[in-house]
Coordinates of all heavy atoms in Angstrom, one line a residue:
M1 N 152.3 -16.1 210.5 CA 152.3 -14.8 211.3 C 152.6 -13.7 210.4 O 152.0 -12.6 210.5 CB 153.3 -14.9 212.4 CG 153.3 -13.7 213.3 SD 154.3 -13.8 214.7 CE 153.1 -13.7 216.0
A2 N 153.4 -13.8 209.3 CA 153.7 -12.7 208.4 C 152.4 -12.4 207.6 O 152.2 -11.2 207.2 CB 154.8 -13.1 207.5
D3 N 151.6 -13.4 207.3 CA 150.3 -13.2 206.6 C 149.4 -12.3 207.4 O 148.6 -11.5 206.8 CB 149.6 -14.5 206.2 CG 150.5 -15.2 205.2 OD1 151.2 -14.6 204.4 OD2 150.3 -16.5 205.2
R4 N 149.4 -12.4 208.7 CA 148.5 -11.6 209.5 C 148.9 -10.2 209.6 O 148.1 -9.3 209.6 CB 148.6 -12.2 210.9 CG 147.6 -11.5 211.9 CD 147.6 -12.2 213.2 NE 146.9 -11.4 214.2 CZ 145.6 -11.5 214.4 NH1 144.8 -12.3 213.8 NH2 145.0 -10.8 215.4
R5 N 150.2 -9.8 209.5 CA 150.7 -8.5 209.5 C 150.5 -7.7 208.2 O 150.3 -6.6 208.1 CB 152.1 -8.4 209.9 CG 152.4 -8.7 211.3 CD 153.8 -8.5 211.7 NE 154.0 -8.9 213.0 CZ 155.0 -8.4 213.7 NH1 155.9 -7.7 213.2 NH2 155.1 -8.8 215.0
R6 N 150.6 -8.5 207.1 CA 150.5 -7.8 205.8 C 149.2 -7.1 205.6 O 149.2 -5.9 205.1 CB 150.7 -8.9 204.7 CG 150.7 -8.2 203.3 CD 151.3 -9.1 202.3 NE 152.8 -9.1 202.4 CZ 153.6 -10.1 202.2 NH1 153.1 -11.2 201.8 NH2 154.9 -9.9 202.3
P7 N 148.0 -7.6 205.9 CA 146.8 -6.8 205.7 C 146.8 -5.5 206.6 O 146.2 -4.5 206.2 CB 145.6 -7.7 206.1 CG 146.2 -9.1 205.8 CD 147.7 -9.0 206.2
N8 N 147.3 -5.6 207.7 CA 147.4 -4.5 208.6 C 148.3 -3.4 208.0 O 148.0 -2.2 208.1 CB 147.9 -4.8 210.0 CG 146.9 -5.7 210.8 OD1 145.7 -5.7 210.4 ND2 147.4 -6.4 211.7
F9 N 149.4 -3.8 207.4 CA 150.3 -2.8 206.7 C 149.6 -2.2 205.5 O 149.7 -1.0 205.3 CB 151.6 -3.6 206.3 CG 152.5 -2.6 205.6 CD1 153.2 -1.7 206.3 CD2 152.7 -2.7 204.2 CE1 154.1 -0.8 205.6 CE2 153.5 -1.9 203.5 CZ 154.2 -0.9 204.3
V10 N 148.9 -3.0 204.8 CA 148.1 -2.4 203.6 C 147.1 -1.5 204.1 O 146.9 -0.4 203.5 CB 147.5 -3.6 202.8 CG1 146.6 -3.0 201.7 CG2 148.6 -4.4 202.2
M11 N 146.4 -1.8 205.2 CA 145.4 -0.9 205.7 C 146.0 0.4 206.2 O 145.4 1.4 206.0 CB 144.6 -1.6 206.8 CG 143.5 -0.8 207.4 SD 142.2 -0.4 206.2 CE 141.3 -1.9 206.3
L12 N 147.1 0.3 206.9 CA 147.8 1.5 207.3 C 148.2 2.4 206.2 O 148.0 3.6 206.2 CB 149.1 1.1 208.2 CG 149.9 2.2 208.6 CD1 149.2 3.1 209.6 CD2 151.2 1.7 209.2
C13 N 148.7 1.8 205.1 CA 149.1 2.6 203.9 C 147.9 3.3 203.3 O 147.9 4.4 203.0 CB 149.8 1.7 202.9 SG 151.4 1.2 203.4
L14 N 146.8 2.5 203.3 CA 145.5 3.1 202.7 C 145.0 4.3 203.6 O 144.6 5.3 203.1 CB 144.5 2.0 202.6 CG 143.2 2.4 202.0 CD1 143.3 2.8 200.6 CD2 142.2 1.2 202.1
V15 N 145.1 4.1 204.9 CA 144.7 5.2 205.8 C 145.6 6.4 205.6 O 145.1 7.5 205.6 CB 144.6 4.7 207.2 CG1 144.5 5.8 208.2 CG2 143.5 3.7 207.4
V16 N 146.9 6.2 205.5 CA 147.8 7.3 205.3 C 147.5 8.1 204.0 O 147.5 9.3 204.0 CB 149.3 6.8 205.4 CG1 150.2 7.9 205.0 CG2 149.6 6.4 206.9
V17 N 147.3 7.3 203.0 CA 147.0 8.0 201.7 C 145.7 8.7 201.7 O 145.7 9.9 201.2 CB 147.0 6.9 200.5 CG1 146.4 7.5 199.3 CG2 148.4 6.4 200.3
I18 N 144.7 8.2 202.3 CA 143.4 8.9 202.4 C 143.5 10.1 203.3 O 143.0 11.2 202.9 CB 142.3 7.9 202.9 CG1 142.0 6.9 201.8 CG2 141.0 8.6 203.3 CD1 141.1 5.7 202.3
A19 N 144.2 10.0 204.4 CA 144.4 11.1 205.3 C 145.2 12.3 204.6 O 144.8 13.4 204.7 CB 145.1 10.7 206.5
A20 N 146.2 11.9 203.8 CA 147.0 12.9 203.1 C 146.2 13.6 202.1 O 146.2 14.8 201.9 CB 148.2 12.3 202.5
A21 N 145.4 12.8 201.3 CA 144.5 13.4 200.3 C 143.5 14.3 201.0 O 143.2 15.4 200.4 CB 143.8 12.3 199.5
A22 N 142.9 14.0 202.1 CA 142.0 14.8 202.8 C 142.6 16.1 203.3 O 142.0 17.2 203.1 CB 141.3 14.0 203.9
V23 N 143.8 16.0 203.8 CA 144.4 17.2 204.3 C 144.8 18.2 203.2 O 144.5 19.4 203.2 CB 145.7 16.8 205.2 CG1 146.6 18.1 205.4 CG2 145.3 16.2 206.5
F24 N 145.5 17.6 202.2 CA 145.9 18.5 201.1 C 144.7 19.0 200.2 O 144.7 20.1 199.8 CB 147.0 17.8 200.2 CG 148.3 17.6 200.9 CD1 148.8 16.3 201.1 CD2 149.0 18.7 201.3 CE1 150.0 16.1 201.8 CE2 150.2 18.5 202.0 CZ 150.7 17.2 202.2
G25 N 143.8 18.1 200.0 CA 142.6 18.5 199.3 C 141.8 19.5 200.0 O 141.2 20.5 199.4
G26 N 141.7 19.3 201.3 CA 140.9 20.3 202.1 C 141.6 21.7 202.2 O 141.0 22.7 202.0
R27 N 142.9 21.7 202.3 CA 143.7 22.9 202.2 C 143.6 23.6 200.9 O 143.4 24.8 200.8 CB 145.2 22.6 202.6 CG 146.1 23.8 202.5 CD 145.7 24.9 203.6 NE 146.6 26.0 203.6 CZ 146.4 27.1 202.8 NH1 145.4 27.2 202.1 NH2 147.3 28.1 202.9
W28 N 143.6 22.8 199.8 CA 143.4 23.4 198.5 C 142.0 24.0 198.4 O 141.9 25.1 197.8 CB 143.6 22.3 197.4 CG 143.2 22.7 196.0 CD1 143.9 23.5 195.2 CD2 141.9 22.5 195.4 NE1 143.2 23.7 194.0 CE2 142.0 23.1 194.1 CE3 140.8 21.8 195.8 CZ2 140.9 23.0 193.3 CZ3 139.7 21.8 194.9 CH2 139.8 22.4 193.7
Y29 N 141.0 23.3 198.8 CA 139.6 23.9 198.7 C 139.5 25.1 199.5 O 138.8 26.1 199.1 CB 138.6 22.8 199.2 CG 137.2 23.3 199.0 CD1 136.6 23.4 197.7 CD2 136.5 23.8 200.1 CE1 135.4 23.9 197.6 CE2 135.2 24.3 199.9 CZ 134.6 24.4 198.7 OH 133.4 24.9 198.5
V30 N 140.0 25.2 200.7 CA 140.0 26.4 201.5 C 140.6 27.6 200.8 O 140.1 28.7 200.8 CB 140.6 26.2 202.9 CG1 140.9 27.5 203.6 CG2 139.8 25.2 203.8
Y31 N 141.7 27.3 200.1 CA 142.4 28.3 199.3 C 141.5 28.8 198.2 O 141.3 30.0 198.1 CB 143.7 27.8 198.8 CG 144.3 28.7 197.7 CD1 144.8 30.0 198.0 CD2 144.5 28.2 196.4 CE1 145.3 30.8 197.0 CE2 145.0 29.0 195.4 CZ 145.4 30.3 195.7 OH 146.0 31.1 194.7
V32 N 141.0 27.9 197.4 CA 140.3 28.4 196.2 C 138.9 28.9 196.6 O 138.3 29.8 195.8 CB 140.2 27.3 195.1 CG1 141.5 26.9 194.6 CG2 139.4 26.1 195.6
A33 N 138.3 28.5 197.7 CA 136.9 28.9 198.0 C 136.9 30.1 199.0 O 135.9 30.9 198.9 CB 136.2 27.7 198.6
Y34 N 137.8 30.2 199.9 CA 137.7 31.2 200.9 C 138.9 32.1 201.1 O 138.8 33.0 202.0 CB 137.5 30.5 202.3 CG 136.2 29.6 202.3 CD1 136.4 28.2 202.3 CD2 135.0 30.1 202.2 CE1 135.2 27.4 202.3 CE2 133.9 29.3 202.2 CZ 134.0 28.0 202.2 OH 132.9 27.2 202.2
A35 N 139.9 32.0 200.4 CA 141.1 32.9 200.6 C 140.8 34.3 200.4 O 140.1 34.7 199.4 CB 142.2 32.5 199.6
S36 N 141.3 35.2 201.2 CA 141.1 36.6 201.1 C 142.1 37.2 200.1 O 141.9 38.3 199.7 CB 141.1 37.3 202.4 OG 142.4 37.1 203.0
D37 N 143.2 36.4 199.9 CA 144.2 36.9 199.0 C 144.6 35.7 198.1 O 144.9 34.6 198.5 CB 145.4 37.3 199.8 CG 146.6 37.7 199.0 OD1 146.4 38.1 197.9 OD2 147.7 37.7 199.5
P38 N 144.6 35.9 196.7 CA 144.9 34.8 195.8 C 146.4 34.5 195.8 O 146.7 33.5 195.1 CB 144.4 35.3 194.5 CG 144.5 36.8 194.6 CD 144.2 37.1 196.0
F39 N 147.2 35.2 196.5 CA 148.6 35.0 196.4 C 149.2 34.2 197.6 O 150.4 34.4 198.0 CB 149.4 36.3 196.2 CG 148.9 36.9 194.9 CD1 148.1 38.0 194.9 CD2 149.3 36.4 193.7 CE1 147.7 38.6 193.8 CE2 148.9 37.0 192.5 CZ 148.1 38.1 192.5
D40 N 148.4 33.4 198.2 CA 148.9 32.5 199.3 C 149.8 31.5 198.7 O 149.5 30.7 197.8 CB 147.7 31.8 200.0 CG 148.0 30.8 201.0 OD1 149.0 31.1 201.8 OD2 147.4 29.8 201.1
E41 N 151.1 31.4 199.2 CA 152.1 30.6 198.6 C 151.7 29.1 198.7 O 151.9 28.4 197.7 CB 153.4 30.8 199.3 CG 154.0 32.2 199.1 CD 155.3 32.4 199.8 OE1 155.9 31.5 200.3 OE2 155.7 33.6 199.9
V42 N 151.2 28.7 199.8 CA 150.8 27.2 200.0 C 149.7 26.9 199.0 O 149.7 25.9 198.3 CB 150.5 26.9 201.4 CG1 150.0 25.5 201.5 CG2 151.7 27.1 202.3
G43 N 148.7 27.8 199.0 CA 147.6 27.6 198.1 C 148.0 27.5 196.6 O 147.5 26.7 195.9
I44 N 148.8 28.4 196.2 CA 149.3 28.4 194.8 C 150.1 27.1 194.5 O 149.9 26.5 193.5 CB 150.2 29.7 194.6 CG1 149.4 30.9 194.6 CG2 150.9 29.5 193.2 CD1 150.2 32.2 194.5
S45 N 150.9 26.7 195.4 CA 151.7 25.5 195.2 C 150.7 24.3 195.1 O 150.9 23.4 194.2 CB 152.6 25.2 196.4 OG 153.6 26.3 196.4
L46 N 149.7 24.2 196.0 CA 148.8 23.1 195.9 C 148.0 23.1 194.6 O 147.8 22.1 194.0 CB 147.9 23.1 197.1 CG 148.5 22.7 198.4 CD1 147.5 22.9 199.5 CD2 148.9 21.3 198.4
N47 N 147.6 24.3 194.2 CA 146.8 24.4 193.0 C 147.6 24.0 191.7 O 147.1 23.4 190.8 CB 146.3 25.8 192.8 CG 145.1 25.9 191.8 OD1 144.3 25.1 191.8 ND2 145.2 26.9 191.0
T48 N 148.9 24.4 191.7 CA 149.7 24.0 190.5 C 150.0 22.6 190.5 O 150.3 22.0 189.4 CB 151.0 24.9 190.5 OG1 151.7 24.7 191.7 CG2 150.7 26.3 190.3
M49 N 150.0 21.9 191.6 CA 150.3 20.4 191.7 C 149.0 19.6 191.4 O 149.2 18.4 191.1 CB 150.8 20.0 193.1 CG 152.2 20.4 193.3 SD 152.9 19.7 194.8 CE 152.5 21.1 195.9
M50 N 147.9 20.2 191.3 CA 146.6 19.4 191.1 C 146.6 19.0 189.6 O 147.1 19.7 188.7 CB 145.4 20.3 191.4 CG 145.2 20.5 192.9 SD 144.8 19.0 193.7 CE 144.9 19.5 195.4
P51 N 145.9 18.0 189.3 CA 145.7 17.6 187.9 C 144.9 18.7 187.1 O 144.2 19.5 187.7 CB 144.8 16.3 188.0 CG 145.0 15.8 189.4 CD 145.3 17.0 190.2
G52 N 145.1 18.7 185.8 CA 144.5 19.8 185.0 C 143.1 20.1 185.3 O 142.8 21.3 185.5
P53 N 142.1 19.2 185.2 CA 140.7 19.5 185.4 C 140.5 20.1 186.8 O 139.7 21.1 186.9 CB 140.0 18.2 185.3 CG 140.9 17.3 184.5 CD 142.3 17.8 184.9
I54 N 141.1 19.6 187.8 CA 140.9 20.2 189.2 C 141.5 21.6 189.3 O 140.9 22.5 189.9 CB 141.5 19.2 190.2 CG1 140.7 17.9 190.2 CG2 141.4 19.8 191.6 CD1 141.3 16.8 191.1
R55 N 142.7 21.7 188.7 CA 143.3 23.1 188.7 C 142.4 24.1 187.9 O 142.3 25.2 188.4 CB 144.7 23.0 188.0 CG 145.5 24.3 188.1 CD 146.9 24.2 187.5 NE 147.0 23.5 186.2 CZ 147.5 22.3 186.0 NH1 148.1 21.7 187.0 NH2 147.6 21.8 184.8
E56 N 141.8 23.7 186.9 CA 140.9 24.6 186.1 C 139.7 25.0 187.0 O 139.3 26.1 186.9 CB 140.4 23.9 184.8 CG 141.5 23.8 183.8 CD 142.1 25.1 183.4 OE1 141.4 26.1 183.2 OE2 143.4 25.1 183.2
I57 N 139.2 24.1 187.8 CA 138.1 24.4 188.7 C 138.5 25.4 189.7 O 137.9 26.4 190.0 CB 137.5 23.1 189.4 CG1 136.8 22.2 188.3 CG2 136.6 23.4 190.5 CD1 136.5 20.8 188.9
G58 N 139.7 25.2 190.3 CA 140.3 26.1 191.3 C 140.5 27.5 190.7 O 140.2 28.5 191.3
C59 N 141.1 27.5 189.5 CA 141.3 28.8 188.8 C 140.0 29.5 188.5 O 139.9 30.7 188.6 CB 142.2 28.6 187.6 SG 143.9 28.2 187.9
G60 N 139.0 28.8 188.1 CA 137.7 29.4 187.9 C 137.1 30.0 189.1 O 136.5 31.0 189.1
M61 N 137.2 29.3 190.3 CA 136.7 29.8 191.5 C 137.5 31.0 191.9 O 136.8 32.0 192.4 CB 136.8 28.7 192.6 CG 135.9 27.5 192.4 SD 136.1 26.2 193.6 CE 135.4 26.9 195.0
L62 N 138.8 31.0 191.8 CA 139.6 32.2 192.1 C 139.2 33.4 191.1 O 139.1 34.5 191.6 CB 141.1 31.9 192.0 CG 141.6 31.0 193.1 CD1 143.0 30.6 192.8 CD2 141.6 31.7 194.5
K63 N 139.0 33.1 189.9 CA 138.7 34.1 188.9 C 137.4 34.7 189.2 O 137.2 36.0 189.1 CB 138.7 33.5 187.5 CG 138.3 34.5 186.4 CD 138.3 33.8 185.0 CE 138.0 34.8 184.0 NZ 138.0 34.2 182.6
S64 N 136.4 34.0 189.6 CA 135.1 34.5 189.9 C 135.1 35.5 191.1 O 134.3 36.4 191.2 CB 134.1 33.4 190.2 OG 134.4 32.7 191.4
R65 N 136.1 35.3 192.0 CA 136.2 36.1 193.2 C 137.1 37.3 193.0 O 137.0 38.4 193.6 CB 136.6 35.3 194.4 CG 135.5 34.4 194.8 CD 135.7 33.5 196.0 NE 136.6 34.0 196.9 CZ 137.8 33.3 197.2 NH1 138.1 32.2 196.7 NH2 138.6 33.8 198.2
F66 N 138.2 37.1 192.2 CA 139.3 38.1 192.2 C 139.5 38.8 190.8 O 140.3 39.7 190.7 CB 140.6 37.5 192.6 CG 140.6 37.1 194.1 CD1 140.5 35.7 194.4 CD2 140.6 38.0 195.1 CE1 140.5 35.3 195.7 CE2 140.6 37.6 196.4 CZ 140.5 36.3 196.7
E67 N 138.8 38.4 189.8 CA 139.0 39.0 188.5 C 138.7 40.5 188.5 O 137.7 40.9 189.0 CB 138.1 38.3 187.4 CG 138.4 38.8 186.0 CD 137.6 38.1 184.9 OE1 136.5 37.6 185.3 OE2 138.0 38.1 183.8
G68 N 139.5 41.3 187.9 CA 139.4 42.7 187.9 C 139.9 43.4 189.2 O 140.0 44.6 189.2
K69 N 140.2 42.6 190.2 CA 140.7 43.2 191.5 C 142.2 43.1 191.6 O 142.9 43.9 192.2 CB 140.1 42.5 192.7 CG 138.6 42.7 192.7 CD 138.0 41.9 193.9 CE 136.5 42.0 193.9 NZ 135.9 41.1 194.9
T70 N 142.8 42.0 190.9 CA 144.2 41.7 191.0 C 144.7 40.9 189.9 O 143.8 40.4 189.1 CB 144.5 41.1 192.4 OG1 145.9 40.9 192.5 CG2 143.9 39.7 192.5
L71 N 145.9 40.7 189.7 CA 146.5 39.8 188.7 C 146.2 38.4 189.1 O 146.1 38.1 190.3 CB 148.0 40.0 188.6 CG 148.4 41.4 188.0 CD1 149.9 41.5 188.1 CD2 148.0 41.6 186.6
P72 N 146.2 37.4 188.2 CA 146.0 36.0 188.6 C 147.2 35.4 189.2 O 148.3 35.8 188.9 CB 145.7 35.4 187.2 CG 146.4 36.2 186.2 CD 146.3 37.6 186.8
P73 N 147.0 34.5 190.1 CA 148.2 33.8 190.7 C 148.8 32.9 189.7 O 148.3 32.6 188.7 CB 147.5 33.0 191.9 CG 146.1 32.8 191.5 CD 145.7 34.0 190.7
F74 N 150.0 32.5 190.0 CA 150.8 31.6 189.1 C 150.0 30.4 188.8 O 149.4 29.7 189.7 CB 152.1 31.2 189.8 CG 152.9 30.2 189.0 CD1 153.6 30.7 187.9 CD2 153.0 28.9 189.4 CE1 154.4 29.8 187.2 CE2 153.8 28.0 188.6 CZ 154.5 28.5 187.5
G75 N 149.9 30.0 187.5 CA 149.2 28.9 187.1 C 147.8 29.1 186.7 O 147.2 28.2 186.1
C76 N 147.3 30.3 186.9 CA 145.9 30.6 186.6 C 145.7 31.6 185.5 O 144.6 31.9 185.1 CB 145.1 31.1 187.8 SG 144.7 29.8 189.0
G77 N 146.8 32.2 185.0 CA 146.6 33.2 184.0 C 147.6 33.0 182.9 O 148.6 32.2 183.0
L78 N 147.4 33.8 181.9 CA 148.4 33.8 180.7 C 148.7 35.2 180.4 O 147.9 36.0 180.2 CB 147.7 33.1 179.5 CG 148.6 32.9 178.3 CD1 149.7 32.0 178.6 CD2 147.7 32.4 177.2
N79 N 150.0 35.5 180.5 CA 150.5 36.8 180.3 C 149.9 37.9 181.2 O 149.5 39.0 180.8 CB 150.3 37.3 178.8 CG 151.2 36.4 177.9 OD1 152.2 35.9 178.2 ND2 150.6 36.2 176.7
G80 N 149.6 37.5 182.4 CA 149.1 38.4 183.4 C 147.6 38.7 183.3 O 147.0 39.6 183.9
Q81 N 146.9 37.9 182.5 CA 145.5 38.0 182.3 C 144.7 36.8 182.8 O 145.3 35.7 182.6 CB 145.1 38.2 180.8 CG 145.8 39.4 180.1 CD 145.3 40.8 180.7 OE1 144.1 40.9 181.0 NE2 146.2 41.7 181.0
W82 N 143.6 37.0 183.3 CA 142.8 35.8 183.7 C 142.3 35.1 182.5 O 142.1 34.0 182.4 CB 141.5 36.3 184.5 CG 141.9 36.7 185.9 CD1 142.1 38.0 186.3 CD2 142.1 35.9 187.1 NE1 142.4 38.1 187.6 CE2 142.4 36.8 188.1 CE3 142.0 34.6 187.3 CZ2 142.6 36.4 189.4 CZ3 142.3 34.1 188.6 CH2 142.6 35.0 189.6

């Protein structure tokens, strides 16, 4: 009987991990692609937690929309420059 429950537990864990990745990844994408303000606290936090290559993509998207209009958000600039 314990063998029958174990695959269900593994499947549940897999579903939770995939759902969390979809929620956080989706929120990150909405921030970098559609934010009207680059200083959204949740978006900045998610962007700084992303792995380097993904963070660079996000910063590039933000830069293309906000460069010259405002300072870069935390994690996307160096010494206040894009």
Side-chain angles (χ1 to χ4, degrees):
M1 185 173 241
D3 292 333
R4 182 173 171 91
R5 288 185 180 202
R6 185 163 281 147
N8 292 338
F9 178 72
V10 171
M11 184 63 84
L12 175 66
C13 290
L14 183 63
V15 167
V16 169
V17 167
I18 291 172
V23 168
F24 291 118
R27 177 64 177 92
W28 169 83
Y29 183 76
V30 167
Y31 166 65
V32 297
Y34 301 111
S36 60
D37 178 23
F39 300 106
D40 176 39
E41 293 178 16
V42 175
I44 291 171
S45 296
L46 288 173
N47 196 43
T48 57
M49 285 188 268
M50 291 293 171
I54 296 174
R55 185 174 50 245
E56 292 299 321
I57 292 169
C59 288
M61 292 174 74
L62 290 169
K63 180 179 179 180
S64 69
R65 292 180 27 240
F66 294 109
E67 184 177 28
K69 298 177 186 173
T70 184
L71 295 172
F74 177 73
C76 284
L78 185 62
N79 296 329
Q81 300 294 320
W82 286 96

